[in-house]
Amino acid sequence: MRSIRVDTSTATILLTEIPEPKVRDRQTGEIAKDAETGEALMKVGVVYIDEGESALVHVTIPESGITQGLPLGGLVSLPGLIARPWESVFNGQARHGIAYRAAALTAGATAGAGV
């Protein structure tokens, strides 16, 4: 799967949803795990603001990469943020989107971010 590095050096990123376990199977409640390490994955919502544009984005992060106690609405950083375009067919309907993943979620602004 193709992955694209996301340059966050000029972005402002605000935490909008507290981290929660990423569910792999909604019917069974199975939590998603990293394919290589087996570590549980978390999902977090952020607002990504750059060059006058903003977007609400959900990002997947390994559980060990989550800094505890981050306030909602606070500035955060997403080191190692990548985007992966995806496509699938579900019930005969073609679907597509972009999945985001980061190595960590930490407090504070990215270096050089305009706040």
Side-chain angles (χ1 to χ4, degrees), residues 8 14 23 44 59-60 66 85 87:
T8 61
L14 305 172
V23 177
V44 64
V59 182
T60 300
I66 302 285
E87 293 181 14

Side-chain angles (χ1 to χ4, degrees), residues 13-22 41-47 56-61 66 70 72 76-78 100 102 104-105:
I13 305 170
L14 305 172
L15 183 64
T16 59
E17 297 175 14
I18 60 170
E20 61 182 38
K22 182 173 181 176
L41 296 173
M42 304 292 283
K43 176 180 79 167
V44 64
V46 299
V47 171
L56 176 60
V57 178
H58 288 102
V59 182
T60 300
I61 302 165
I66 302 285
L70 297 174
L72 285 178
V76 292
S77 293
L78 293 167
Y100 294 91
L105 173 70

Side-chain angles (χ1 to χ4, degrees), residues 31-75:
I31 302 301
K33 306 276 185 188
D34 183 275
E36 293 179 14
T37 67
E39 182 176 2
L41 296 173
M42 304 292 283
K43 176 180 79 167
V44 64
V46 299
V47 171
Y48 185 94
I49 306 165
D50 196 14
E51 297 182 3
E53 303 274 328
S54 66
L56 176 60
V57 178
H58 288 102
V59 182
T60 300
I61 302 165
E63 188 173 30
S64 65
I66 302 285
T67 299
Q68 299 300 314
L70 297 174
L72 285 178
L75 288 170

